Amino acid sequence: MDDDVGARHTPAEVDATFRTLRRVAVGYFVVFLLAVAAFPVLSLTSDWWSEARLVGGMSPGFLVAAFGLYLFFAVLGVAVARLMSAVEHRMLDDTRDDGFSAADEPPGDLP
């Protein structure tokens, strides 16, 4: 860790970063919860979801349970990690422990 004065952050900066990251986490949790809750809701309300046959005689519900949810969770996890990391680095002046600086990154706004 660097004991450089420029690497230290005020409590207000850290608190603002924490609040922003918490807001992002809650937002992604709501997306996760809606996706997980949609599965049983569709199973109870849609005959097509459980009775239709698609690839290899599997129902849409089975395909989503077997493959779709894992893909969704992986994509959501990567999206959360990348966004939270970018937010933290932007809010805390791109201070990193991996030897890179803000000058090493291409310019651009947060997604």
Side-chain angles (χ1 to χ4, degrees):
M1 184 167 169
D2 216 357
D3 284 337
D4 196 11
V5 174
R8 296 186 185 174
H9 302 286
T10 66
E13 289 174 323
V14 174
D15 187 50
T17 302
F18 173 76
R19 283 185 280 120
T20 302
L21 293 177
R22 183 177 55 200
R23 192 169 38 249
V24 170
V26 167
Y28 274 102
F29 174 71
V30 168
V31 170
F32 171 84
L33 194 60
L34 290 174
V36 171
F39 191 85
V41 168
L42 285 170
S43 295
L44 293 172
T45 61
S46 175
D47 291 334
W48 174 82
W49 184 253
S50 57
E51 294 175 6
R53 296 295 171 235
L54 300 176
V55 180
M58 293 183 276
S59 70
F62 183 84
L63 284 173
V64 169
F67 304 107
L69 286 176
Y70 294 110
L71 180 63
F72 173 75
F73 294 154
V75 169
L76 188 68
V78 169
V80 169
R82 290 185 62 157
L83 179 59
M84 292 187 97
S85 183
V87 166
E88 181 180 1
H89 290 309
R90 293 276 172 108
M91 290 186 76
L92 295 178
D93 300 324
D94 290 329
T95 303
R96 295 183 174 185
D97 292 332
D98 60 6
F100 293 101
S101 68
D104 296 330
E105 291 186 3
D109 292 335
L110 286 176

